[in-house]
Amino acid sequence: MTNKYDLLLKNGELIDPAQGLRGARDIAFRDGRVAALDSEISSNDAREVVDATGRIVTPGLIDIHGHYFQHIVPFATSADEVCLPNGVTTTVDAGSSGWLHFEGFKEFILTREQTRLMALVNLSALGMMSPRRSIGEDFGPTIGISGGPQTQLDPRSVGELQDLRYAQVEEAVQCIKDNPNVVLGVKIRIDHEISGEANTIGEANTIPALERARAVADMTDSFVMVHVARVPIPLAQVFEYLRPGDIVTHIFHSAENNVLDEKGNVRTEVREAREKGIVFDIGAARRNFGISLSLTAISDGLLPTTLSSDITKVRPQSPVIYNLPQIMTPYMALGMSLEEVIAATTMHSSNAIGESGRLGTLAVGAVGDATVIDLEEGEFTYDDGNGESISTDRRIAPVITLKDGIVWKPGEA
Ligand SMILES: [Zn+2]
């Protein structure tokens, strides 16, 4: 007798914001997809049964901002080491590679990881492999930037966009066209230490680097992800270049030109951009999210669209490296509900990368990715690398990861 289903996840509490569902459900998988969803599915119908009693079942988590071009980009990490063990089944490398080294990135990383891995091509041909170094662990103020400790750079550092000639529009466009479903759009960092003069607003009142990223996205019908921490340009001017579907990452950074005005209220133009459909992404790691700023913004009704880790390798000068569940937990303490942090890592993340309906949901027919979570009780503290921390008494702890309808096991990556 053949079984109707390959695998049955039984007795869990399903939270799937894309279907507006929270409740006890059994979920069956077949041929890598969700095959059935019901309050009771018989164990006899499945070849393998996994018990999720007392646990929460969500769609496989999606992290839309990480760095995985390891061995080439100095701070990049291994997607398979940080994603699948932590309930993340899909992730996006946010611009580690430019067009120039993309073939290598594809050959040695993208096609070899078990994690579902997509990428944004950096506007700079160099990607993130220009020689940019911090000086030890000494965090002092950087020129022209205030509002939180910043990395002090080695004077020999060169950012990937300090020479605008590296921003080669035609080649970036070709890279996106040559890699459909793999390269989703273009990434740009307008951090002043990285872009320098490419950020200049001159007589023409333009941000040249961002103008080129816009052109790449328009010519490929894709989107821009723009890094906005440590930028000497007000967000309102950055938003002028963005359209619905573009992503602003590090949106809750607490350095100059953040989402709050001088009085500590959410800026009107920020609310307007969010309402217009610009994706507000957290990109948390390495001092790029502020705890009190997040508290203020969220209590003022400004929720991030997506939570992401910006995960990298742990380095001595990187005070905060959190994986995705380790970002979800503090954001619950910062004012988001459990459903909201799950929506921000499933439904909204899949929308942001153009995969809604296929990923980020456990609707019948969707890709069979699921994450089983324990809500652990205890005392947990998270810090933002800017001198602020927050404690909470419950933590999101992923215990089982299913990718393509199969239970992921350590060592089988
Ligand atoms: Zn990043």
Side-chain angles (χ1 to χ4, degrees):
M1 175 192 139
T2 48
N3 292 112
K4 216 162 143 189
Y5 305 120
D6 299 329
L7 188 132
L8 174 62
L9 204 50
K10 222 173 152 43
N11 305 320
E13 182 190 0
L14 175 71
I15 301 182
D16 184 1
Q19 298 187 80
L21 260 180
R22 178 168 187 171
R25 290 287 188 287
D26 290 351
I27 308 164
F29 300 86
R30 187 185 172 128
D31 298 332
R33 302 218 161 233
V34 180
L37 194 65
D38 215 322
S39 47
E40 172 82 54
I41 299 173
S42 167
S43 297
N44 297 330
D45 286 344
R47 193 149 39 90
E48 188 185 349
V49 180
V50 174
D51 183 34
T53 303
R55 290 172 161 167
I56 291 163
V57 179
T58 73
L61 304 177
I62 302 171
D63 190 345
I64 68 164
H65 187 162
H67 294 284
Y68 310 111
F69 199 176
Q70 56 170 342
H71 313 305
I72 303 292
V73 170
F75 52 81
T77 186
S78 152
D80 283 353
E81 279 177 27
V82 298
C83 292
L84 293 169
N86 297 309
V88 176
T89 53
T90 300
T91 189
V92 180
D93 180 279
S96 302
S97 175
W99 69 267
L100 187 58
H101 308 101
F102 200 83
E103 278 305 305
F105 187 32
K106 195 162 71 175
E107 174 70 23
F108 298 115
I109 307 286
L110 294 178
T111 54
R112 298 189 189 205
E113 301 282 306
Q114 204 189 22
T115 311
R116 188 173 295 100
L117 192 47
M118 302 166 188
L120 303 176
V121 66
N122 202 299
L123 176 69
S124 170
L126 297 179
M128 296 182 180
M129 54 189 77
S130 62
R132 184 169 172 270
R133 296 275 186 278
S134 305
I135 303 175
E137 295 192 44
D138 178 19
F139 300 107
T142 10
I143 299 159
I145 308 284
S146 60
Q150 306 292 336
T151 311
Q152 220 167 37
L153 290 179
D154 184 318
R156 297 167 301 162
S157 281
V158 188
E160 72 250 11
L161 276 176
Q162 274 178 359
D163 187 330
L164 201 55
R165 286 175 295 179
Y166 288 124
Q168 295 165 334
V169 171
E170 289 79 8
E171 287 82 353
V173 164
Q174 199 55 47
C175 181
I176 295 173
K177 287 184 175 170
D178 288 347
N179 296 283
N181 307 318
V182 175
V183 184
L184 307 176
V186 60
K187 169 77 186 293
I188 176 175
R189 296 199 289 179
I190 53 169
D191 182 325
H192 207 56
E193 295 161 354
I194 290 157
S195 301
E197 292 306 306
N199 280 337
T200 308
I201 299 177
E203 277 178 21
N205 202 31
T206 58
I207 311 171
L210 198 48
E211 202 168 45
R212 292 193 190 193
R214 173 79 272 145
V216 171
D218 288 347
M219 289 163 78
T220 51
D221 198 19
S222 67
F223 62 84
V224 177
M225 177 190 272
V226 55
H227 156 132
V228 293
R230 294 170 298 278
V231 175
I233 300 163
L235 277 169
Q237 267 165 319
V238 173
F239 290 144
E240 283 174 20
Y241 288 84
L242 303 182
R243 311 210 195 296
D246 289 325
I247 302 172
V248 176
T249 192
H250 314 311
I251 190 65
F252 283 175
H253 78 81
S254 56
E256 195 179 44
N257 293 315
N258 62 48
V259 295
L260 305 181
D261 64 18
E262 308 69 41
K263 290 181 184 153
N265 299 315
V266 173
R267 297 175 194 273
T268 311
E269 63 269 24
V270 167
R271 276 190 209 286
E272 285 170 357
R274 176 78 163 82
E275 280 158 21
K276 189 172 131 187
I278 291 169
V279 175
F280 281 16
D281 179 53
I282 289 296
R286 298 186 317 288
R287 304 178 304 284
N288 285 331
F289 75 112
I291 280 177
S292 56
L293 181 137
S294 295
L295 266 173
T296 305
I298 291 168
S299 72
D300 207 358
L302 184 75
L303 254 62
T305 322
T306 51
L307 296 177
S308 69
S309 68
D310 190 12
I311 199 160
T312 60
K313 193 161 74 176
V314 177
R315 294 183 300 166
Q317 71 271 42
S318 305
V320 184
I321 302 291
Y322 289 143
N323 62 43
L324 192 61
Q326 289 170 330
I327 299 303
M328 296 165 77
T329 299
Y331 269 93
M332 284 201 292
L334 290 166
M336 292 173 76
S337 67
L338 175 64
E339 285 94 337
E340 282 169 342
V341 300
I342 291 170
T345 49
T346 58
M347 173 175 68
H348 297 310
S349 320
S350 66
N351 283 343
I353 60 170
E355 293 281 1
S356 79
R358 193 176 86 93
L359 302 174
T361 179
L362 284 165
V364 171
V367 169
D369 288 7
T371 301
V372 182
I373 284 167
D374 270 347
L375 269 187
E376 277 180 8
E377 289 180 7
E379 204 192 309
F380 311 104
T381 301
Y382 297 82
D383 78 84
D384 65 4
N386 289 312
E388 295 182 338
S389 62
I390 190 158
S391 293
T392 175
D393 56 7
R394 57 179 190 163
R395 156 169 91 176
I396 291 179
V399 284
I400 302 168
T401 307
L402 260 75
K403 181 168 175 280
D404 294 313
I406 295 166
V407 177
W408 172 82
K409 294 189 180 75
E412 288 185 4

